[in-house]
Amino acid sequence: MMNFSAGMITMGFLVISLFFVKFWRRTRDPLFLAFAVSFSLLALNQGLAILIEIDRDERSYLYIIRLIAFLIIIVAVLHKNSAFDRRDR
């Protein structure tokens, strides 16, 4: 059951990533591309955690992938907000 749930979560991350790719292709907004990459990384993290089948204590290094995904989102949002700030002046 755990593998099935992890597979569903991975699939959900990939579907969300594809939606953001679709939005990026339509608008060419880099924020959408950053979200697409981030959700792909989250899917990779979730998939690797199940496929590698290592103990829970030993997979802490996999969270680096999750950290990178969230850092990409933070940087993209900050860049987007600074771009709006420059346009208002």
Side-chain angles (χ1 to χ4, degrees):
M1 188 67 176
M2 185 70 143
N3 289 343
F4 178 76
S5 298
M8 293 297 292
I9 292 170
T10 302
M11 185 197 64
F13 282 142
L14 289 174
V15 168
I16 292 169
S17 177
L18 288 175
F19 273 111
F20 280 117
V21 167
K22 184 176 89 169
F23 297 146
W24 174 74
R25 289 184 70 190
R26 194 180 304 164
T27 64
R28 297 292 182 199
D29 188 353
L31 183 66
F32 290 135
L33 184 61
F35 272 101
V37 169
S38 295
F39 277 103
S40 295
L41 286 173
L42 291 172
L44 177 70
N45 182 39
Q46 186 70 30
L48 284 177
I50 292 301
L51 290 176
I52 293 177
E53 294 183 5
I54 54 178
D55 291 333
R56 199 173 186 98
D57 295 335
E58 295 175 3
R59 60 174 125 152
S60 61
Y61 65 90
L62 285 176
Y63 286 102
I64 293 173
I65 298 171
R66 190 178 287 189
L67 176 66
I68 292 169
F70 287 121
L71 287 175
I72 289 172
I73 292 173
I74 290 169
V75 168
V77 168
L78 290 174
H79 183 266
K80 181 78 170 181
N81 286 337
S82 68
F84 278 129
D85 190 32
R86 284 187 295 230
R87 278 190 228 148
D88 289 341
R89 291 182 189 177

